[in-house]
Amino acid sequence: MDRGVDVAIDAFLYVFIDLKAFALFSLLFGLGLAMQYDRLATHARRAELLIRRLLALLAFGVIHLFLIWNGDILTEYAVAGLIVLPVLFGPTWLLGVAAAGCLLIYIIMPLLPPPVSFPAEAGLASLVQAANHAYGTGSFRAVLAFRIHEVSSIFPLHVFIMPRTLGLFMLGAVIWRTGLVRNADHHSGALWTAAALLIGIGLAFTLGTSARWFSGWPSLGWLDGPATQASTIILPLGYGALVLAIGTIDRGRFLGWFEPIGRLAFTNYVTQSVLLGWIFYGYGLGLFGKIGPANGMMLVVAVYLGQMLLSFWWLKRFRYGPLEWLWRGLTYGERPLFRVA
């Protein structure tokens, strides 16, 4: 593949996707947690069921983290959900204040002493070299052993990102409680305006800081770090506002195509890890480190389209995805209906 195409795709992913997708998922997870909280409002065991749901997710996350892929996000989401859950029982203003506090801590974190120590540059280079060898050529047992060894090196990243995760969880809950999602039609103009402003500011921060290597923008000095952190919050919020704004005029004609793959998000996430593990790890095709950004993008699109079609097919026959069904069963302690009547 042409080197210029690789560079262009790499830049696109760095500006629009890198760290922003995780932030958007965090926002949506918090919104979903608030939805579950409201749906169980009249249930005598509301707190117990929500805790069971998050503990089940934690168990899934630990299995995924060690046996499938150590880039797992389920474990952090489960831990963050357990931390946020008590605040959900408080007033909305408390959620808002806590969310703002967590996000502010994340934004100014580059100006503060680091909460944890990251591996030194030489140690990190050695770790990358060992990872390329273990993941690209190792057997399942060798890959598993290295994955377990590598978790301790990845742990500081989860600590570093946790304030943002907590803040976005609570912000998602606040957005749900305001009724913005349910009444988006009444706020169409404001949503379009918010999307334009947030995406514009987020892109300006991204291009002016961490993406300066190709944007050519001058340094912001000591503000570089906070602006970079802020960009990974502002831009995803703009994406969320844009999706809601499109929904006010789309009426499901376009966005409806993504509903099935979203309803099976948990199953699709883990399936991607298993499939891509086989493609990249040594016990499969061994392509780790051998695919550039352009070929990688084509692979991602192919997997996504395949999962979209399978999700359509699956939901015509079953009420839930396999993991969604299991998760629901573990939460409620009963076997949910599986097949569509």
Side-chain angles (χ1 to χ4, degrees), residues 142-160:
V143 168
L144 176 61
F146 186 81
R147 187 188 295 121
I148 294 172
H149 164 73
E150 197 180 27
V151 165
S152 61
S153 300
I154 295 174
F155 177 75
L157 180 60
H158 286 282
V159 175
F160 180 78

Side-chain angles (χ1 to χ4, degrees), residues 208-228:
T209 54
S210 54
R212 188 182 299 109
W213 56 276
F214 65 84
S215 69
W217 289 20
S219 172
L220 298 177
W222 65 272
L223 286 175
D224 259 0
T228 299

Side-chain angles (χ1 to χ4, degrees), residues 13 24 92 127 171 201 280:
L13 294 175
L24 186 58
T92 303
L127 184 67
L171 180 58
I201 294 171
F280 289 107

Side-chain angles (χ1 to χ4, degrees), residues 104-115 160 226:
L104 179 61
I105 289 172
Y106 176 74
I107 289 172
I108 67 172
M109 198 176 289
L111 307 178
L112 304 174
F160 180 78

